[in-house]
Amino acid sequence: MWIVWLLILLGFPVVTLAHDETMPATSTLTVSETGIVPHAPDTAFVIFGLETASKSLADAQKRNSTVMSKVMDRLRDLQIDKERIQTSSFTVSPQYRPSSNRPTDTAPTSPEIIGYVVSNMVTVEIRVLDKVGTVIEEVLKAGANSFQGLHWGLREEQSVRLSALKQAAAKAREKASVLSETLHVKLVRILSVTEGGHMIRPAAPMARMAMEATAGDMPISSGELKIEATVTLVYEIAPK
């Protein structure tokens, strides 16, 4: 140390070397895999409703209410619990007189309302799948004139999804092991895990077919659902 002070006193410049604390970039390996678990559905959701039109709003609402009451009675006769019946939308739409395309010198006026359309849509959850065709047939007979289709579901979807995640994670780890051996690198540790997924639903019958067919003529097959899960692993790697 005394040598440094001597150099300073003598006027010599002193150069100090700074320690570089920048760490080298971490090498990583990213793998992603998908797990798919098929499962038969145990629930159906039927969406239907009623549209009524009239020059009077009060009359359109009254007609809609009368028919929908008959539909609800029919659902109760089929032993569908009221907790499984939900109004999914209710709209009132004014109908306007078509505007004339002829030129006119008079000032433009507000569109003239010539009537109203009241739409009431209902979603019914059906847990006895053998009833699906009968429910569709009966609500149409009771007066429903709008059928939006149906879709299938699982009441215990979470347990099936966990199985798909487990499958996806195992496949991702296996892929990482194979890649590390092929590339002659070592898997040090997992830096991050990302998961995702969704349900793959079978196609539902067309609305037109439901409107035109009876339960006996309309084949409704629930098929099977597929729960899909994806797992992405990011590994820190090092040379072997």
Side-chain angles (χ1 to χ4, degrees), residues 5-226:
W5 283 108
L6 179 61
L7 291 173
I8 294 175
L9 291 173
L10 295 176
F12 288 93
V14 177
V15 178
T16 59
L17 299 177
H19 177 63
D20 185 6
E21 297 183 352
T22 304
M23 299 296 292
T26 302
S27 298
T28 61
L29 172 67
T30 302
V31 293
S32 183
E33 272 295 342
T34 298
I36 299 177
V37 177
H39 199 286
D42 56 18
T43 306
F45 296 90
V46 178
I47 307 170
F48 64 89
L50 175 68
E51 291 185 354
T52 52
S54 178
K55 294 181 179 180
S56 164
L57 176 58
D59 182 57
Q61 290 178 323
K62 181 179 178 180
R63 292 168 55 190
N64 194 287
S65 177
T66 299
V67 176
M68 287 304 293
S69 293
K70 294 180 181 179
V71 171
M72 295 301 175
D73 289 341
R74 193 66 58 88
L75 289 173
R76 282 191 289 270
D77 293 340
L78 294 171
Q79 299 180 336
I80 303 296
D81 297 334
K82 63 180 181 180
E83 293 83 6
R84 312 295 174 203
I85 305 171
Q86 182 182 55
T87 298
S88 49
S89 71
F90 183 87
T91 60
V92 176
S93 305
Q95 303 297 296
Y96 299 97
R97 184 180 301 280
S99 58
S100 174
N101 295 326
R102 290 179 300 177
T104 176
D105 295 333
T106 60
T109 59
S110 299
E112 179 186 356
I113 297 177
I114 58 175
Y116 296 87
V117 174
V118 176
S119 176
N120 189 351
M121 303 303 300
V122 173
T123 300
V124 178
E125 178 184 346
I126 305 171
R127 296 193 170 186
V128 181
L129 300 189
D130 291 342
K131 287 186 177 182
V132 174
T134 302
V135 168
I136 295 174
E137 179 186 13
E138 292 300 316
V139 298
L140 294 177
K141 284 183 177 179
N145 59 11
S146 178
F147 182 79
Q148 301 299 313
L150 66 93
H151 65 268
W152 311 97
L154 284 174
R155 294 193 292 275
E156 300 296 335
E157 180 182 339
Q158 179 64 9
S159 61
V160 183
R161 186 171 184 275
L162 290 177
S163 297
L165 277 173
K166 183 177 181 180
Q167 181 188 118
K171 291 168 66 176
R173 289 176 67 93
E174 182 181 5
K175 177 187 282 188
S177 177
V178 171
L179 286 173
S180 67
E181 292 178 4
T182 304
L183 300 173
H184 304 291
V185 295
K186 177 175 63 176
L187 300 176
V188 179
R189 59 184 176 129
I190 296 178
L191 298 177
S192 69
V193 180
T194 306
E195 58 91 10
H198 62 280
M199 179 185 292
I200 304 173
R201 303 181 186 274
M206 296 296 290
R208 178 182 298 179
M209 180 174 65
M211 294 291 289
E212 295 177 351
T214 64
D217 298 330
M218 180 172 46
I220 295 180
S221 174
S222 59
E224 69 178 16
L225 301 172
K226 291 182 174 64

